[in-house]
Amino acid sequence: AQRVTQVQSTGSSQWGEVTLDCSYETSEYSYLILWYRQLFSGEMVFLIYQPSFDTQNQRSGHYSVVFQKSFKSISLVISASQPEDSGTYFCALSELIGASGSWQLIFGSGTQLTVMP
Amino acid sequence: GPKVLQIPSHQIIDMGQMVTLNCDPVSNHLYFYWYKQILGQQMEFLVNFYNGKVMEKSKLFKDQFSVERPDGSYFTLKIQPTALEDSAVYFCASSPTASQNTLYFGAGTRLSVL
């Protein structure tokens, strides 16, 4: 079963605000949810993260999140989206693994966003 | 911003041969990772590496896989021998700390095993 689910595989928009959804499963008390954008080159660019302990929705530039911890859901909101925001957006859950204190990212399958001029 | 470079971007190899994927992490980063993405599937954690040692590895990190960073040069993933199911895009990442919100990813190496 998928631990991180992005139900929208594709999406398109023409300017304006875009919302990309993500839900996840975890039994951990402390975790992070991160959003990445994959460029056409393949490079993964970090956008924003939300710590589980923080009830305040995080913002970074024209990215923000809507975090609903009790529903294990988090949405990425892109305000004033432009064509250069096109790409594939990945949601990832960060969890501790093993006894070494290491973390791993569990990725969703991504949402391919096209913002038209 | 800082870049993680992966060389080559695409490698084609015959099943059973050895392959080494190279990653040039961000200088002064201390934590290194490999992730694997099979076409059409999620990216999945393979292994992380710190202070010259593997810290954790997933069940995807088979016995045929090994990682090293000799003398602070490239961080490498070696597969010997390769199998058809090793065909995927392999992403390298590095971080100055163990925190996951400081990870920088490379653009990936597409490995095609024939």
Side-chain angles (χ1 to χ4, degrees):
Chain A
Q2 289 191 9
R3 301 278 311 281
V4 178
T5 303
Q6 294 178 254
V7 292
Q8 306 144 305
S9 57
T10 60
S12 63
S13 170
Q14 190 165 24
W15 299 91
E17 187 175 278
V18 173
T19 299
L20 306 178
D21 300 321
C22 174
S23 61
Y24 57 91
E25 295 174 17
T26 182
S27 56
E28 297 296 324
Y29 178 76
S30 180
Y31 54 88
L32 303 179
I33 302 290
L34 305 93
W35 282 93
Y36 286 86
R37 177 178 157 221
Q38 189 168 37
L39 306 179
F40 293 119
S41 66
E43 184 181 350
M44 296 281 280
V45 177
F46 167 73
L47 300 177
I48 192 170
Y49 79 100
Q50 176 77 43
S52 60
F53 59 77
D54 196 340
T55 57
Q56 190 165 10
N57 292 326
Q58 301 300 300
R59 300 188 68 88
S60 177
H62 77 141
Y63 300 107
S64 62
V65 297
V66 176
F67 181 43
Q68 297 181 289
K69 185 176 180 179
S70 58
F71 293 107
K72 292 193 168 62
S73 138
I74 184 165
S75 298
L76 175 71
V77 180
I78 308 172
S79 61
S81 61
Q82 300 190 24
E84 48 266 37
D85 292 316
S86 297
T88 303
Y89 288 77
F90 289 91
C91 174
L93 166 69
S94 179
E95 279 190 338
L96 277 171
I97 51 170
S100 65
S102 297
W103 294 78
Q104 68 165 336
L105 294 179
I106 301 168
F107 283 88
S109 51
T111 297
Q112 192 170 339
L113 176 68
T114 303
V115 182
M116 287 167 295
Chain B
K3 295 283 189 186
V4 173
L5 301 176
Q6 290 190 241
I7 305 155
S9 58
H10 191 184
Q11 183 129 11
I12 302 172
I13 199 159
D14 289 326
M15 183 178 65
Q17 285 192 302
M18 181 196 77
V19 68
T20 301
L21 308 184
N22 295 302
C23 171
D24 188 9
V26 177
S27 63
N28 82 349
H29 280 195
L30 301 175
Y31 294 80
F32 310 105
Y33 304 79
W34 283 103
Y35 280 77
K36 176 183 179 182
Q37 185 179 32
I38 293 173
L39 186 65
Q41 298 184 22
Q42 285 101 318
M43 191 183 301
E44 293 184 273
F45 170 80
L46 275 179
V47 66
N48 68 336
F49 190 86
Y50 168 72
N51 199 25
K53 293 182 297 198
V54 169
M55 300 295 286
E56 299 289 343
K57 52 188 179 182
S58 73
K59 61 182 186 301
L60 297 180
F61 194 79
K62 305 182 298 184
D63 292 341
Q64 297 89 325
F65 288 28
S66 62
V67 292
E68 62 176 357
R69 191 179 186 224
D71 303 321
S73 58
Y74 286 155
F75 176 50
T76 63
L77 173 66
K78 184 188 290 186
I79 309 174
Q80 180 178 26
T82 50
L84 294 176
E85 60 265 27
D86 297 329
S87 294
V89 180
Y90 291 84
F91 290 92
C92 173
S94 71
S95 176
T97 70
S99 177
Q100 294 291 283
N101 61 314
T102 55
L103 267 185
Y104 289 83
F105 280 90
T109 293
R110 181 176 297 278
L111 176 66
S112 299
V113 181
L114 307 178

